[in-house]
Amino acid sequence: MKAILENRYSHVQQLIIAIVSSFFGYHLYQEIVSPEKSQLTLSIMLVVITYALINTYGIKPERK
């Protein structure tokens, strides 16, 4: 919790995670209901890219 408070980008990262999660959830639903309209591959790639970027830039807390 302390690392989250020290990192000034944590709110932006949480917002990005929420947006990507909703995007992925929508496309997963589309895959189940109507597979011909689904873009599940695109949303999986977006989840992987988001995970990699947040892991890269989100680990280091800001030093004072």
Side-chain angles (χ1 to χ4, degrees), residues 34-61:
S34 56
E36 64 275 356
K37 291 183 179 179
S38 176
Q39 296 177 354
L40 192 60
T41 308
L42 175 66
S43 61
I44 289 174
M45 289 175 16
L46 184 61
V47 167
V48 169
I49 290 170
T50 304
Y51 174 76
L53 289 175
I54 289 179
N55 252 354
T56 302
Y57 297 110
I59 291 177
K60 304 170 192 163

Side-chain angles (χ1 to χ4, degrees), residues 6-61:
E6 291 177 1
N7 189 346
R8 67 182 181 151
Y9 296 113
S10 65
H11 292 88
V12 175
Q13 291 171 356
Q14 291 173 356
L15 179 66
I16 290 172
I17 289 171
I19 292 170
V20 169
S21 297
S22 64
F23 183 77
F24 178 72
Y26 174 75
H27 285 290
L28 184 61
Y29 170 77
Q30 284 295 330
E31 180 69 32
I32 294 168
V33 173
S34 56
E36 64 275 356
K37 291 183 179 179
S38 176
Q39 296 177 354
L40 192 60
T41 308
L42 175 66
S43 61
I44 289 174
M45 289 175 16
L46 184 61
V47 167
V48 169
I49 290 170
T50 304
Y51 174 76
L53 289 175
I54 289 179
N55 252 354
T56 302
Y57 297 110
I59 291 177
K60 304 170 192 163

